[in-house]
Amino acid sequence: MKKSRLLFACALFLTVQTASSQVLISLLFGDKLNSPNIEFGLEGGYNFAQMGAFETNKRLTDFNLGFYFDIRLKDAWKVYTGVLVKSKLGVDQLTEADLSLLEIIPQEEDGNYAQYINNFLVPALIKYEFPSRIYAEAGPQFGLLYKSWVQFDSDVDGEETRIKIENKDILNRFEVGGVVGMGYRLKPGKGISLGVKYYQGFTNALKGIAGSRNNSIYLKCTIPIGAGKTKEADSD
């Protein structure tokens, strides 16, 4: 059991270590990664994150970006995977009780506190696309912690202050959760899709804090890279 966990951790680590460079590479060589049964491209959008075990329930909003593989299995069934390279989880507008939970000493001036968590997120979803080009997807998602911090922002008499207090050591490095979502492909074949998905963490984000599970609502857009070139090449 320990060996399998170690192998999984190593594989996930190697995947996400190269994720940032692969997003750039995808823009240059996306047509080489597309085939009749595989669609490759970029996934981007906006997410609304929240975290359990806190007094606040204010969602943290931010942009996200990554790459994806849409792999056809049979007929309309597919596997959707990839890596969200830039994706922040966490929670906004922390209260004094929340700061105490995170062992953060409040600043003297008034301002807003937010917990930011940078995770590399790897979905492994089963996807079904209906003839109407509407699709549904569901499955597990795995996360690897990259960086986390509590951010303090204030604006007193026009003087803006931003302080970041890193707290990666109090968070669990790995995360497992589930995703359900749906969307619509704008044109038949390989083309831009718009969708929404919900992520619910199954594991605690904070060490030793029960119920500290991440969740997030994602508005997403997927853009195939080089799919048009592949189609033209197949028709020659």
Side-chain angles (χ1 to χ4, degrees), residues 16 33 40 44 51 53 55 59 64 95 101 115 142 148-149 157 159 176 178 201 204 222 225-226 228 230:
V16 299
L33 298 172
F40 174 79
M51 194 174 176
E55 188 174 72
R59 290 191 176 274
N64 56 79
T95 66
L101 181 67
Q115 171 69 62
F142 308 95
S148 69
W149 68 93
D157 297 329
E159 183 176 345
V176 179
N204 293 320
T222 58
I225 303 298
T230 302

Side-chain angles (χ1 to χ4, degrees), residues 14-222:
L14 290 174
T15 300
V16 299
Q17 280 295 97
T18 58
S20 297
S21 60
Q22 287 179 352
V23 169
L24 178 59
I25 291 173
S26 69
L27 294 173
L28 301 175
F29 304 105
D31 56 313
K32 308 298 182 184
L33 298 172
N34 274 285
S35 72
N37 292 318
I38 299 178
E39 178 183 309
F40 174 79
L42 295 180
E43 175 184 334
Y46 207 72
N47 66 297
F48 305 81
Q50 195 182 56
M51 194 174 176
F54 286 94
E55 188 174 72
T56 180
N57 59 3
K58 179 66 175 178
R59 290 191 176 274
L60 184 70
T61 59
D62 197 13
F63 291 99
N64 56 79
L65 178 66
F67 63 88
Y68 73 91
F69 289 93
D70 211 2
I71 305 169
R72 185 179 300 278
L73 295 176
K74 184 179 180 181
D75 300 328
W77 290 97
K78 301 178 180 179
V79 170
Y80 185 91
T81 187
V83 180
L84 274 181
V85 180
K86 181 187 182 299
S87 179
K88 291 185 177 68
L89 298 173
V91 66
D92 202 2
Q93 295 185 13
L94 298 172
T95 66
E96 290 187 7
D98 297 333
L99 294 177
S100 178
L101 181 67
L102 294 171
E103 300 180 355
I104 298 295
I105 300 175
Q107 302 294 317
E108 293 184 358
E109 63 267 35
D110 293 331
N112 181 68
Y113 297 85
Q115 171 69 62
Y116 285 85
I117 302 173
N118 271 2
N119 273 348
F120 293 113
L121 298 176
V122 181
L125 312 181
I126 295 296
K127 179 178 177 181
Y128 184 85
E129 188 166 322
F130 297 91
S132 59
R133 302 199 300 275
I134 294 175
Y135 69 82
E137 58 187 1
Q141 180 167 276
F142 308 95
L144 175 64
L145 178 64
Y146 171 64
K147 189 177 182 181
S148 69
W149 68 93
V150 172
Q151 183 168 302
F152 170 74
D153 290 290
S154 71
D155 187 348
V156 179
D157 297 329
E159 183 176 345
E160 297 182 358
T161 301
R162 171 166 291 177
I163 299 174
K164 293 183 178 181
I165 306 168
E166 294 190 8
N167 62 350
K168 181 179 177 181
D169 58 324
I170 70 170
L171 278 89
N172 290 309
R173 187 166 179 78
F174 298 101
E175 178 165 331
V176 179
V179 171
V180 293
M182 64 181 299
Y184 178 74
R185 188 181 296 272
L186 301 184
K187 293 182 179 180
K190 295 182 178 180
I192 295 175
S193 296
L194 302 177
V196 59
K197 60 183 179 180
Y198 175 76
Y199 167 72
Q200 175 61 60
F202 298 153
T203 56
N204 293 320
L206 295 170
K207 295 178 180 177
I209 304 297
S212 58
R213 295 184 290 270
N214 285 307
N215 70 80
S216 188
I217 300 169
Y218 291 85
L219 303 178
K220 71 170 186 174
C221 175
T222 58

